[in-house]
Each structure stands twice: as C-alpha cells, then as structure tokens.
Amino acid sequence: MAVAILLVAAGGFALAHFWSPHANLRITLGPPGSAADRFIMAFVSVSKVQHPRVNLDLVRVDDLAGSAKTLEDRRTDLAIVRSDAAVPANAQTIVILRRDVVAFVLPPQSPVKSIANLSGRAVGIVAGRLQDTNAQVLDTVLSFFNLPGKDVRRTVLPVDELAQLVRQKKLAAILAVGPMAPGEVVDVVAAVARATKGTPGILGFDEAEAIGKRFPGFESIDVPVGAFRARPATPSESVTTLAVTYRFAASELMPNVVAAAIARSILTAKTKLAAVTPLATQIEAPDPDDKSPLLPVHPGVAAYLSNGDQSFFDQAQQYVYLGGLVVSLAGSLFAAASAGRARRRSEAEWRPVRRLVEIAEAAPCADRAGLAILEGEFRELVSAMLGCSAGAVSTDCLSAFSTALAHARHALDRRRASLGPEVALASAPTLVVAH
C-alpha cells in the first residue's frame, strides 16, 4: 500500500508538472546595450516560442557584480557571471556563454618580452563598463610575478586614444579582454595597427597554466595565428595566455530537471540565438567532469551532458526508489517494535505464573506472619487473573497458571497445617480452567 501511495503521488506530481499553466524563473538583465543584455533578450525571445509556459521575470542590474549579487542573495534563479569577477558562492554553471582572452597588445617591435618588462612602464586599459574588472585582472597577473601594482602605471581611455598613446610610445601595452571574434581585443589590435602602421603583437607567457591553478577564475588558452587579424596575422605565431569565461549560472538549489532543461534549451537553440545575436555562436557546453571549486557544473546539467535528457519521470522514479527504501526501513522498525511489544506482553503474562512458583517455594519456610503475607499475595494474583478480559491471556499461559496455582495452594495448605490449628486462614479461592 505504501508503494502504491508513492506511485500515485509520483503520478500526481508528473501530471502537475505537465499540466501546470506556467513556471516562473527570475533572470538578471545587464545594462542596456551590453553583451549580457543582448544575449538575455535573445534567450527570452527564443524561449517564448520553445517554452510558452515558462515565464522569465527580468531583473535589471548595473554590472557583473550586481548580477552575481542577486544570485548569491537568491533574488534571481539565473544570472550571467564572469569567472574572475565576484563569483557567487552558491552559483553552478549551466552553459559557458563565451571565453574571453586576456591579451596584452604590444606595439610593433616592442621591447616588452615578458610581464616583468612592464615594471616602470604604463599599460592602457580600455574605458567602459568593465574597466574596473579588467584593472583587477592586471593586478592579479602582476601579483603572480611579484610585481607591485604601483610599479605599473595605468591609463584608462577609449580605444583610439590609447592607440595614439602607443604610437607616441607613452604606453608599453594595452590590456584588452575579449573573445577570439569581433570584440575588444580585435578593436584594440586594429586601432594600434592603424596608429602605428605596423603589425601589433600579443604578449604570451608560459606561466598561464600556473596562474590558472593559483587563481581558479582564470584558465590557460592557446591563441592561434591570426586569431585577431588575418592580414598581416595577429598574432604572427601561436601564443599562450590567460582566458576568463562568461557563464550562465544558476543557484545550487535549482532542481536537476530544471537545470538540465535550461541547458538543453540553450544548446539546441544555439542557431536560433545566433540569428538574434552573434555572441551566441560562442556558446559551449561545460565539461561534465570538471571538478573546479569555482562555478562547478550543475549536477542536473552534468547528468544531461553525460546521459542525455532526464525527464520528470526519471526523477520521479528516483523518488519512488528512495520512498521504497524509506518504507522498507519503516517496516523493519515497525517489526522490531512489534517484536519488542510482544516480548514485553509475554513477560507480563507469565509474571504471575513465576510468582506462584516462588510462593510455593517460600511457603515451607514461612512463619505465621510470612504465611499470611504469602496468602494475601496468592489471593491478589488469583483476583487479577480473574479480572482479565477474554483473550487477554494466551491458553498456554492460563494452563500454566492453573498448574502453578494448584502447586502454590498445596504448599500453603501444608505449611498452615504444620504450624498448627492456631493459624486460621480463610480458604482461598481456586481457579478452575476449562479445557
């Protein structure tokens, strides 16, 4: 019956899931015109067609830090976060939206061959919404190489103005963070090429993997030849540098089936999303085996990527299985309790029998006062047995009680006779058991 109840409950949950009018998910929306804003608007438009019962409530935020904060405070269910910027402790990855390269763009024939060469020089940072976040990237890289941040001057200006400072040799490099596609790095490379009429370079460093291990928000990436400009190619040879990832993240409390459905929706609608915004072409599935402590893959997404779709009935089956374990455990506990109760009842039934035997053994040595006490206890035991309701005592116990009663009565009578006629005790009642 318990299993049947669980199956009925699972069926009810399934019907509620499929017949429910809609579901509500709160999602952050970046500043107007930002990459996050364009992606979310594209995702909303595609989702309305694919999942008309899903209602996405948009929550406007000012920047990446605000997006992360709303997710950490559980004011939203989904948010776009950058792996190196104020990552929420409760965030788990649904999909990777894009991978941005951390590029130190150098002027043609630059003397800078390593990060250490930036000491005492100036580095440009592109002005914009992410200028403070990118400045922190510079601080992180400098700290790995034990370079004090004050030893490297920073200049924050628009791209074209930074390129002019490079031409005037007032900047040793420009830090740009962007994809290997149209974006900030491509814009900086093009501006420096125009200003200097030469081929810019990209500073590479073999320590990128070590930096990624020390600072989990970063990872090593190999930039192929011509990734940022084809002719002349920039970079002119493959270089290793750092990368950060933009991720569509959910709260760790999001049910597995919901997280898997969102990941599937985005990954299968990648073409439709790309038709709305070119940024969607860079969407990729996370590695389900990634054990990184920072922005780990949501278990529901990992299960989907490893095993395919996980329907509501798959989870219901798990719940039924767990329910069966609970019912089995409850049955074992009930059986143990019943056995204990039966044992205590049996002990209570046989206690008068044992006491009658003890009275029979004590009677031959009792004096007049002791015999009177034994006679009184004898009568109480008989009265208690006569007062038991029908069926309260087993037949075996009644039979044994009758035998013990006769034995005790005989011992009491013999002792009374041996003490002489002075001891006058009323005849005690006897119990006759019909067989």
Side-chain angles (χ1 to χ4, degrees):
M1 183 177 293
V3 173
I5 292 174
L6 289 173
L7 289 174
V8 171
F13 282 125
L15 292 176
H17 172 74
F18 287 109
W19 289 351
S20 60
H22 66 274
N24 290 320
L25 291 175
R26 298 163 300 172
I27 182 172
T28 59
L29 187 65
S34 65
D37 178 74
R38 294 195 298 273
F39 171 78
I40 295 300
M41 295 307 297
F43 175 65
V44 170
S45 63
V46 171
S47 294
K48 285 183 178 179
V49 177
Q50 290 188 330
H51 306 287
R53 292 181 299 174
V54 176
N55 180 44
L56 296 176
D57 295 328
L58 303 181
V59 179
R60 180 74 67 179
V61 295
D62 296 330
D63 48 28
L64 287 172
S67 180
K69 183 64 174 174
T70 59
L71 185 61
E72 188 167 30
D73 294 343
R74 308 192 191 285
R75 288 184 282 122
T76 58
D77 304 299
L78 295 163
I80 294 179
V81 299
R82 199 170 104 169
S83 60
D84 67 317
V87 176
N90 63 334
Q92 294 183 334
T93 300
I94 300 295
V95 295
I96 296 175
L97 298 178
R98 79 183 199 201
R99 202 175 299 272
D100 278 9
V101 176
V102 177
F104 288 87
V105 181
L106 305 174
Q109 301 177 349
S110 172
V112 175
K113 303 300 180 184
S114 68
I115 294 294
N117 296 146
L118 294 177
S119 180
R121 291 184 165 92
V123 173
I125 297 175
V126 179
R129 295 189 182 95
L130 298 175
Q131 64 184 40
D132 294 336
T133 303
N134 293 343
Q136 293 176 4
V137 172
L138 177 59
D139 290 333
T140 299
V141 174
L142 294 178
S143 68
F144 180 84
F145 290 94
N146 296 320
L147 287 179
K150 60 183 179 58
D151 289 354
V152 178
R153 302 186 304 277
R154 295 101 189 278
T155 300
V156 180
L157 290 171
V159 173
D160 289 335
E161 295 182 33
L162 290 176
Q164 292 301 319
L165 292 179
V166 169
R167 183 180 64 82
Q168 298 167 13
K169 299 183 179 182
K170 293 181 179 180
L171 293 179
I174 299 176
L175 173 61
V177 181
M180 285 188 282
E184 185 172 291
V185 181
V186 172
D187 294 342
V188 170
V189 168
V192 172
R194 288 193 303 270
T196 61
K197 302 187 184 305
T199 302
I202 303 296
L203 179 62
F205 37 95
D206 298 331
E207 300 86 354
E209 185 173 353
I211 295 175
K213 290 182 178 180
R214 182 182 298 182
F215 304 102
F218 298 89
E219 59 186 58
S220 175
I221 189 171
D222 294 325
V223 181
V225 175
F228 302 118
R229 192 173 66 153
R231 297 181 60 186
T234 304
S236 58
E237 59 183 16
S238 178
V239 298
T240 300
T241 183
L242 293 173
V244 296
T245 55
Y246 284 85
R247 303 187 179 216
F248 205 32
S251 167
E252 60 187 357
L253 299 180
M254 177 174 286
N256 290 352
V257 67
V258 176
I262 295 173
R264 180 184 183 279
S265 177
I266 294 176
L267 294 174
T268 56
K270 184 176 176 179
T271 303
K272 294 180 181 179
L273 291 171
V276 181
T277 172
L279 297 173
T281 59
Q282 302 169 50
I283 294 174
E284 60 182 274
D287 182 2
D289 298 325
D290 184 10
K291 304 301 181 183
S292 172
L294 192 68
L295 290 170
V297 181
H298 193 287
V301 177
Y304 161 67
L305 296 175
S306 301
N307 307 317
D309 287 338
Q310 184 182 33
S311 67
F312 182 85
F313 286 107
D314 294 328
Q315 286 208 336
Q317 186 177 9
Q318 296 176 9
Y319 297 146
V320 170
Y321 174 73
L322 293 175
L325 293 179
V326 173
V327 170
S328 176
L329 178 60
S332 300
L333 294 175
F334 179 76
S338 298
R341 185 169 59 254
R343 184 171 59 254
R344 291 190 296 273
R345 178 182 176 183
S346 177
E347 291 176 355
E349 286 181 352
W350 287 87
R351 190 177 297 115
V353 176
R354 290 193 296 270
R355 184 56 189 155
L356 287 173
V357 174
E358 292 171 354
I359 290 174
E361 293 176 350
C365 301
D367 56 13
R368 289 186 178 89
L371 186 62
I373 294 174
L374 293 177
E375 285 277 4
E377 190 174 355
F378 178 85
R379 285 191 292 271
E380 290 177 359
L381 289 172
V382 174
S383 299
M385 184 61 70
L386 291 174
C388 291
S389 60
V393 182
S394 65
T395 302
D396 291 342
C397 185
L398 283 174
S399 178
F401 184 83
S402 178
T403 302
L405 182 69
H407 177 53
R409 179 71 274 167
H410 178 70
L412 290 171
D413 289 344
R414 287 187 62 185
R415 181 57 178 166
R416 184 178 57 185
S418 66
L419 290 175
E422 297 88 32
V423 181
L425 292 174
S427 177
T430 59
L431 177 67
V432 178
V433 179
H435 295 282

